[in-house]
Amino acid sequence: MLVLSRGPQDKIVFPNLGITVEILRVDGHRVRVGVDAPKDIRILRHELTETLNGELQSEAEREAESKRTHDLRNRLNGAQLSLSLMEKQLDRGMHDEALASLHSAIHEIDQLDGSAKTEVSDDSVGEPANPIPRALLVEDDSNECELLAGYLRMSGYEVETAQDGLQAMVQLARRDRPDVVLLDMHMPRMDGPKTVKSIRLNPDYSGVKVFAVTGSQPEEMNVEIGPRGVDRWFQKPIRPQELVDSLNDELLGAAKVH
């Protein structure tokens, strides 16, 4: 720090900056100072700098929020375009292309989900997760679907339903992921084996269990039982409570759903 002693009408010049400081008057412990500076240099009293810093911080926060909103809209638009393209492709029987569009939509939704998690407030930290297990039941027979879904709900499960594999994949992309997919094998548009393959090829679904609930044998459908295929196979007619017990063992271990 440069310390100078100056009296009234003395000037201090900063030639490289184009600033001149003049001592106008000395009155006891107070000194009246004049500052002459170029127009592009902002001069503030010290007590105002905190206000300025607050304004700058608020402006930076607004810019960051604007960028987040922009990115969010882009992600939503990408997901919407992918799903709209998928519908067109399905109408024309382009199933492989439709599946690729669906994966693109899933990617955009994953990015949205990740962004949302980073913005969760600290107040939510430590809150217990929803203990209710979720199941997606994929069955083209509406009567069977309604009856089994009702039994699962009465057994403590949250259940969503789909009529075929394509509808199931759309729901996997658009909604919260289930803990388990209960899957018939003989269905229109996308059958069970193709649905299993689509789920297993997507690393985002690596934690999802897949149970086959069908009238066929595994060898008939050429579906593997294991981590690359279905986790368990139930042949119709099934005993609903045995299915629920197996679900509890697979998903909850010793903690049974009652």
Side-chain angles (χ1 to χ4, degrees):
M1 177 184 292
L2 177 64
V3 179
L4 300 173
S5 297
R6 289 291 184 271
Q9 280 71 55
D10 284 347
K11 296 181 179 180
I12 303 170
V13 179
F14 300 88
N16 293 333
L17 300 176
I19 297 175
T20 299
V21 178
E22 182 177 356
I23 310 299
L24 301 177
R25 188 175 65 192
V26 178
D27 185 9
H29 295 290
R30 299 180 66 85
V31 178
R32 189 175 182 85
V33 177
V35 180
D36 184 21
K39 293 181 179 180
D40 59 343
I41 294 181
R42 196 171 185 181
I43 300 173
L44 295 173
R45 297 194 307 272
H46 173 72
E47 59 268 25
L48 295 180
T49 57
E50 292 184 1
T51 301
L52 175 62
N53 290 336
E55 292 175 354
L56 293 176
Q57 183 177 1
S58 297
E59 183 177 352
E61 290 173 352
R62 286 193 296 270
E63 290 178 357
E65 180 62 28
S66 176
K67 184 179 184 303
R68 283 194 295 269
T69 301
H70 177 75
D71 291 343
L72 174 64
R73 288 175 176 171
N74 281 346
R75 293 292 183 189
L76 287 171
N77 186 58
Q80 180 62 45
L81 288 174
S82 296
L83 292 173
S84 298
L85 176 60
M86 183 195 71
E87 291 177 359
K88 290 286 188 183
Q89 291 165 333
L90 287 175
D91 289 341
R92 299 188 181 185
M94 303 166 63
H95 291 167
D96 291 340
E97 292 84 351
L99 191 58
S101 297
L102 177 60
H103 288 164
S104 176
I106 291 171
H107 173 73
E108 296 294 343
I109 293 170
D110 282 341
Q111 296 299 314
L112 286 171
D113 182 58
S115 298
K117 287 179 180 177
T118 61
E119 295 178 10
V120 173
S121 66
D122 293 338
D123 293 339
S124 65
V125 176
E127 292 181 359
N130 185 358
I132 301 176
R134 295 192 302 270
L136 174 59
L137 174 58
V138 190
E139 170 62 67
D140 62 325
D141 187 299
S142 58
N143 185 54
E144 284 188 34
C145 186
E146 182 179 352
L147 292 172
L148 183 53
Y151 192 93
L152 291 170
R153 292 185 182 112
M154 292 294 292
S155 301
Y157 282 79
E158 180 181 318
V159 183
E160 297 285 345
T161 62
Q163 294 181 342
D164 56 50
L166 276 175
Q167 187 179 3
M169 296 305 297
V170 170
Q171 290 188 207
L172 284 171
R174 289 181 172 177
R175 303 182 183 180
D176 291 338
R177 291 174 197 164
D179 300 296
V180 61
V181 176
L182 302 171
L183 188 63
D184 189 16
M185 290 290 113
H186 295 281
M187 296 179 295
R189 296 203 298 176
M190 180 184 284
D191 61 15
K194 289 181 180 178
T195 306
V196 171
K197 184 178 180 180
S198 297
I199 292 173
R200 294 313 190 200
L201 287 177
N202 191 329
D204 294 330
Y205 302 142
S206 59
V208 177
K209 301 294 183 181
V210 180
F211 278 27
V213 182
T214 179
S216 302
Q217 295 282 356
E219 54 271 16
E220 295 177 52
M221 305 306 301
N222 194 27
V223 174
E224 178 181 341
I225 297 179
R228 293 186 298 180
V230 300
D231 294 281
R232 300 200 187 188
W233 192 283
F234 289 84
Q235 188 171 8
K236 298 176 183 178
I238 65 169
R239 290 184 173 89
Q241 190 55 50
E242 288 184 4
L243 174 63
V244 170
D245 289 342
S246 295
L247 286 170
N248 292 342
D249 289 338
E250 191 75 36
L251 300 178
L252 307 173
K256 302 294 185 180
V257 175
H258 298 291

